[in-house]
Amino acid sequence: MADHDDMDSVEGRMKRPLDDEETMGNSDDPPKRRRGEGPRVELRVLLQSKNAGAIIGKGGSNIKRLRTDFKASVTVPDSNGPERVLTLSAELGTVLEVLLDVIPSLEDYRDDSQYKNKHGEFDTELRMIVHQSQAGCIIGRAGFKVKELREKTGAGIKVYSTCCPSSTDRIVGITGKRKVVVGCVEEIIELLQSAPPKGPIQ
């Protein structure tokens, strides 16, 4: 199945080389899928606890807005540690739009000009949580798939080799401009649709 997907991917790039070159890493590109489109998915993102308040908002106002406006499940459970998990559940296109909305809330340096380019866009790092059994699907044999994802999306991608403490999850760090990062998340989620988690989950 994976080989067939890879062939489709390569074939698609051969047919549209100019499109890929023009759009690679272009921060103005919207996600391929629109709100309400695509399979229903769950995305988990590791946050600094100090940034969770910006997503929740005063009296829960912002998280209520996200749930109402996007008709998505948005949760940020309390945690005693320095990090919390943001979970988004909805159709893939909707999840990507919510992610575009919340990424600016995750950055401590969004007002610091040294991190911005001439368009006012800043580099961001998103820490996506995946089950340990799915990491190999993202990396690919001898690192082929992760290299292909980097080239296709223009994002920096690092799959952490160890699991989170007391967990069967691993972190995928994705860096780049906001829409580049969201485009990379879209590619990874679609890839993982063919590789559901296997083994124990905690």
Side-chain angles (χ1 to χ4, degrees):
M1 187 73 180
D3 290 341
H4 182 262
D5 288 344
D6 288 344
M7 287 173 64
D8 286 348
S9 173
V10 171
E11 185 178 330
R13 285 204 307 280
M14 289 172 68
K15 287 179 182 174
R16 303 188 307 276
L18 287 177
D19 288 351
D20 282 342
E21 286 176 12
E22 288 168 3
T23 61
M24 185 181 293
N26 185 341
S27 62
D28 292 329
D29 292 341
K32 288 185 296 187
R33 295 184 188 274
R34 302 292 181 183
R35 187 180 305 184
E37 292 181 354
R40 188 166 184 87
V41 299
E42 179 181 272
L43 171 66
R44 292 177 298 148
V45 177
L46 194 64
L47 322 169
Q48 294 291 326
S49 291
K50 62 184 179 181
N51 293 333
I55 293 175
I56 295 167
K58 190 172 183 179
S61 58
N62 194 54
I63 200 167
K64 287 175 185 172
R65 175 187 67 81
L66 292 170
R67 290 167 177 162
T68 302
D69 289 359
F70 293 100
K71 296 181 173 59
S73 169
V74 183
T75 61
V76 189
D78 287 337
S79 168
N80 294 326
E83 295 170 321
R84 293 166 75 169
V85 176
L86 166 67
T87 303
L88 307 176
S89 299
E91 292 75 21
L92 177 53
T94 303
V95 164
L96 297 171
E97 288 198 23
V98 176
L99 196 57
L100 277 172
D101 189 296
V102 302
I103 281 178
S105 304
L106 310 183
E107 304 305 332
D108 297 325
Y109 48 75
R110 59 186 178 278
D111 297 322
D112 192 331
S113 59
Q114 70 172 315
Y115 291 99
K116 293 183 179 180
N117 64 15
K118 62 184 179 181
H119 302 296
E121 274 281 343
F122 51 81
D123 280 330
T124 188
E125 179 181 16
L126 188 79
R127 292 178 296 166
M128 180 178 177
I129 301 172
V130 301
H131 190 263
Q132 61 183 358
S133 65
Q134 297 175 304
C137 175
I138 299 169
I139 297 168
R141 183 173 294 179
F144 170 80
K145 177 56 72 173
V146 75
K147 182 173 182 286
E148 182 184 58
L149 284 168
R150 288 183 187 123
E151 291 173 351
K152 184 175 183 179
T153 66
I157 306 169
K158 178 180 179 182
V159 182
Y160 287 77
S161 58
T162 55
C163 288
C164 301
S166 305
S167 171
T168 51
D169 292 323
R170 283 166 70 175
I171 298 295
V172 181
I174 305 167
T175 54
K177 300 296 181 285
R178 181 171 54 148
K179 290 184 181 179
V180 170
V181 167
V182 172
C184 185
V185 169
E186 180 174 21
E187 293 290 338
I188 290 174
I189 289 177
E190 289 186 336
L191 188 62
L192 295 184
Q193 292 296 298
S194 62
K198 296 176 183 176
I201 297 175
Q202 72 179 68

